[in-house]
Amino acid sequence: MLAKDRIKEAETNVRAYLIEGLLKKESLNTDALRVLLRNAKESIDSAEKLNSERISDLWVIVCSYYSMFYIANAVLRKLDYKVGDKIAHKVTADALIVYARGKLKETLIEDYENSKDEALNLAGIKADSLIESFDQEKAKRGKIQYTTDNIDKQAKAKTSLQRAKQFLFEMNILLNELDKKK
């Protein structure tokens, strides 16, 4: 579950990003959206191939994370926000919390309509968990890619791939819901 202070941090950061131009309100660019979706698919396909052929646990983690990064940016683009080039990963993580978390929660509630009271709680937990998985993978990718610590990369690679697949699945549902509403 996302910590309240992480949510507040993201809200504060996003206000600053908008002022500094690191995040911009911008009409949907369908070409850019297609590229982001293609990059997300290519990244997860690469992660799956690298994992199934046991080529590189490091690159399973990196490709899994990038599939999440690209689909997150596709969702933000669909919500009419464009992440700039500077500190793009941090901006994406914070903007995802601020702009996509609530939308994701709404789409998950629709999936659980039969038991509404439980659904609201479960949807909130699941939405937070999905968004938090992006933060976790961003941190893991940075740690594993830029440090030389001897850690069990295979287990971490499997977790990354699993998280990325779930994240992509839910973000694609969200994109479809956003299409219906526009």
Side-chain angles (χ1 to χ4, degrees):
M1 185 111 171
L2 281 173
K4 288 180 182 178
D5 50 337
R6 174 66 183 106
I7 295 166
K8 286 186 184 284
E9 173 196 342
E11 290 168 346
T12 300
N13 289 346
V14 165
R15 283 191 293 275
Y17 300 152
L18 288 165
I19 291 167
E20 296 167 21
L22 298 171
L23 180 68
K24 295 178 183 173
K25 185 82 170 150
E26 187 176 287
S27 297
L28 179 64
N29 177 329
T30 55
D31 290 335
L33 182 64
R34 269 193 297 279
V35 168
L36 289 166
L37 292 172
R38 185 177 62 236
N39 288 350
K41 180 168 179 9
E42 182 179 322
S43 296
I44 197 69
D45 289 348
S46 296
E48 287 178 327
K49 182 174 175 66
L50 291 165
N51 186 60
S52 69
E53 296 181 12
R54 302 282 307 126
I55 295 172
S56 169
D57 294 326
L58 167 66
W59 285 99
V60 170
I61 293 166
V62 172
C63 290
S64 294
Y65 166 74
Y66 271 96
S67 70
M68 297 169 79
F69 176 77
Y70 289 126
I71 195 86
N73 275 279
V75 167
L76 292 171
R77 288 305 288 258
K78 195 71 160 180
L79 294 170
D80 296 329
Y81 288 94
K82 180 183 185 298
V83 173
D85 296 335
K86 293 181 181 172
I87 62 168
H89 296 270
K90 178 67 173 149
V91 173
T92 297
D94 290 340
L96 196 60
I97 291 169
V98 172
Y99 297 118
R101 183 172 164 260
K103 302 279 186 201
L104 183 58
K105 190 174 176 179
E106 289 171 21
T107 64
L108 292 169
I109 287 172
E110 291 170 15
D111 290 345
Y112 298 112
E113 251 179 19
N114 293 337
S115 51
K116 291 188 183 205
D117 290 339
E118 285 184 43
L120 186 58
N121 189 35
L122 288 173
I125 291 168
K126 188 171 181 181
D128 283 359
S129 175
L130 282 167
I131 300 298
E132 189 175 36
S133 73
F134 182 89
D135 268 352
Q136 291 167 337
E137 288 304 310
K138 181 171 110 13
K140 183 195 305 179
R141 190 247 343 156
K143 181 179 179 186
I144 287 177
Q145 193 171 1
Y146 299 114
T147 64
T148 57
D149 294 343
N150 189 17
I151 56 176
D152 182 11
K153 289 183 183 175
Q154 183 179 10
K156 294 192 180 307
K158 286 181 180 178
T159 301
S160 294
L161 186 56
Q162 180 184 356
R163 281 182 181 157
K165 286 180 179 180
Q166 183 64 37
F167 190 84
L168 285 165
F169 177 78
E170 297 296 346
M171 289 296 150
N172 275 311
I173 291 172
L174 178 57
L175 283 169
N176 288 333
E177 289 299 317
L178 292 172
D179 276 341
K180 290 177 189 176
K181 293 179 182 179
K182 279 205 174 197

